[in-house]
Amino acid sequence: MPRLRRTGLAFAVAALLPAMVSPASADEPDANRHGVPVDQLRVTTSEVATGLVRPVAMTSTNDRDGRMLIAEKRGTVRAFHPQDGLAADPVLDISDRVNSTANERGLLGIVPARDFARTSRVYVAYSRLPDGALTLSRIKLGDPASEQVLITQDHAKFSNHNGGQLAFGHDGYLYWSLGDGGSAGDPDANAMNLGTLLGKILRIDVNHACGDLPYCVPKSNPFVSTPGARPEIWAYGLRNPWRFSFDALDGSLWIADVGQGAYEEVNHTKGFRGGLNFGWSCMEGPAVFNAERCTPGAEYQAPVFHYQTRVDGCAVIGGHVYRGHQHARLAFGTYVAADYCSAAAFAVRKNRDGTYSNAKIGQFPAQVSTFGVDRAGELYVATDRAGQLFRVGFERAS
């Protein structure tokens, strides 16, 4: 399990932190089951489509068609098929209600409903016109009028740090990430405040309605009985969890949280562990950021991997654990992430003793904005300004 960090120790160890990527553990897992040691991996990419307009999120429909849905920042969704390529026309256009005027606002996330094959419904997260309120909706592809808004969260003060990832966990519940509200340093201390949804990951049951709500709050959510807390909250203390993912094999949760200016971090927890505090804005990565936000004796979940902002990049783009077949001998069980500015590719893998190995494994194309996985478990990345889609592969370093 990821180690916990106590603020009393953070000041003492900050000066000893590595300048670059933390070193890989010598205790490597069985290569036959988990792939080769991560420092022997190299990432490869092959272009499969062009013409996207600022892609921000990708998901597989997991139906017989084998399509992938790609959300574009402006409020459109395009379909990609490995054999047929990228469709020219959007399968959904909600640009008339999406505020995409600022760089980090727009259509932010998409995931198919569990009954997508029958209903063609998806869940989308976006910043709303005109005020930028973060919005979670259920909507049918090709039918913008069918939208049903589930949750909104005010986000008018600043335009950045919106989060936006959507994913279903192995428990069947829908998870949604929201940034801390923007600006720098979390000026309103939202991330630690359980009374707001900002700086959190939520967990809700979208298969049922409870009272006046078009969803239910699972009774096992960690703060359902906490006075003043929003019961939808699953995890907190996050700055801008732009992309998170669940391991398709074990259901564990990987969260890439974009840093303030010193550290980019990746967190990993068991899928059923709710209520964890990831430390922002007391902590940034492994170090204290704002001591006044720290509670003496409090325990904050430490990242399993971090690298220095302005040294190895500027913003971590969270990926997925590779569970495909084509490169299983090399990369099975390996979490892959990227940095938006440096295009560095990073690999992280949990070892049998609970420690983690990590390595820089090459370069992605410039400005990777999101990862996706097709129904066969193969990885894809999309690039922001260039609007390209690439299939990801691996090779063994020579």
Side-chain angles (χ1 to χ4, degrees):
M1 290 300 300
R3 59 186 174 80
L4 294 174
R5 50 191 173 187
R6 293 182 182 271
T7 56
L9 299 176
F11 292 107
V13 302
L16 303 177
L17 294 171
M20 297 287 285
V21 175
S22 49
S25 166
D27 184 10
E28 292 288 348
D30 183 354
N32 292 326
R33 178 183 174 124
H34 296 286
V36 301
V38 291
D39 59 2
Q40 296 180 25
L41 272 181
R42 290 295 178 269
V43 72
T44 65
T45 56
S46 55
E47 185 182 273
V48 294
T50 60
L52 291 163
V53 182
R54 302 206 68 182
V56 292
M58 270 190 289
T59 185
S60 172
T61 58
N62 290 319
D63 59 6
R64 291 183 179 180
D65 290 338
R67 292 179 300 168
M68 297 184 71
L69 301 176
I70 305 174
E72 297 175 315
K73 179 180 181 294
R74 59 186 176 179
T76 50
V77 177
R78 309 274 293 281
F80 169 80
H81 192 281
Q83 278 73 49
D84 301 331
L86 181 67
D89 297 326
V91 293
L92 182 66
D93 186 346
I94 55 170
S95 54
D96 62 344
R97 66 206 70 174
V98 171
N99 183 336
S100 60
T101 55
N103 186 53
E104 295 186 28
R105 282 178 170 164
L107 176 57
L108 305 171
I110 185 170
V111 67
R114 308 278 283 186
D115 59 358
F116 175 83
R118 179 174 58 85
T119 66
S120 295
R121 292 189 305 184
V122 296
Y123 292 88
V124 293
Y126 62 91
S127 48
R128 182 183 68 188
L129 279 172
D131 58 356
L134 300 180
T135 304
L136 171 65
S137 291
R138 178 165 47 213
I139 193 168
K140 185 176 181 179
L141 289 186
D143 186 8
S146 68
E147 180 181 20
Q148 180 186 22
V149 174
L150 304 183
I151 304 177
T152 61
Q153 167 63 54
D154 290 344
H155 197 299
K157 193 171 182 180
F158 305 104
S159 66
N160 58 336
H161 301 180
N162 298 280
Q165 178 68 38
L166 293 172
F168 281 96
H170 281 202
D171 52 16
Y173 297 134
L174 180 63
Y175 292 71
W176 177 29
S177 66
L178 294 83
D180 67 5
S183 188
D186 192 7
D188 296 324
N190 289 320
M192 293 276 197
N193 178 6
L194 294 176
T196 176
L197 302 180
L198 297 172
K200 315 296 190 301
I201 290 179
L202 313 186
R203 182 177 81 148
I204 61 173
D205 178 359
V206 292
N207 297 312
H208 302 90
C210 289
D212 294 333
L213 297 176
Y215 61 89
C216 292
V217 174
K219 294 181 180 179
S220 55
N221 272 16
F223 302 111
V224 291
S225 300
T226 302
R230 291 293 300 267
E232 298 93 344
I233 295 172
W234 179 252
Y236 66 116
L238 294 160
R239 182 177 179 271
N240 190 25
W242 166 243
R243 304 288 77 151
F244 68 82
S245 64
F246 290 97
D247 186 336
L249 188 64
D250 66 18
S252 61
L253 175 61
W254 292 80
I255 308 167
D257 199 10
V258 178
Q260 173 66 49
Y263 296 100
E264 307 297 313
E265 68 178 81
V266 172
N267 300 281
H268 181 217
T269 75
K270 291 183 177 179
F272 57 80
R273 289 197 68 200
L276 297 179
N277 183 346
F278 292 95
W280 176 253
S281 58
C282 161
M283 307 292 295
E284 180 190 6
V288 169
F289 173 80
N290 184 347
E292 294 182 358
R293 299 273 175 85
C294 302
T295 302
E299 294 183 335
Y300 305 113
Q301 197 76 4
V304 301
F305 169 68
H306 65 272
Y307 62 92
Q308 281 192 299
T309 312
R310 302 194 182 101
V311 175
D312 273 346
C314 72
V316 62
I317 306 297
H320 296 263
V321 175
Y322 181 75
R323 295 297 185 187
H325 298 286
Q326 187 172 354
H327 305 285
R329 291 188 170 217
L330 295 174
F332 195 78
T334 304
Y335 176 80
V336 182
D339 186 87
Y340 180 83
C341 291
S342 70
F346 300 106
V348 186
R349 189 185 296 151
K350 187 175 182 179
N351 301 318
R352 287 181 171 178
D353 65 355
T355 62
Y356 290 80
S357 301
N358 66 75
K360 184 177 176 180
I361 59 170
Q363 294 288 121
F364 281 115
Q367 294 185 330
V368 166
S369 54
T370 189
F371 284 74
V373 179
D374 66 18
R375 66 176 182 176
E378 301 302 326
L379 279 174
Y380 292 76
V381 294
T383 59
D384 182 10
R385 301 286 181 173
Q388 299 162 291
L389 181 65
F390 296 85
R391 184 177 290 113
V392 176
F394 301 92
E395 61 187 17
R396 194 160 191 164
S398 57

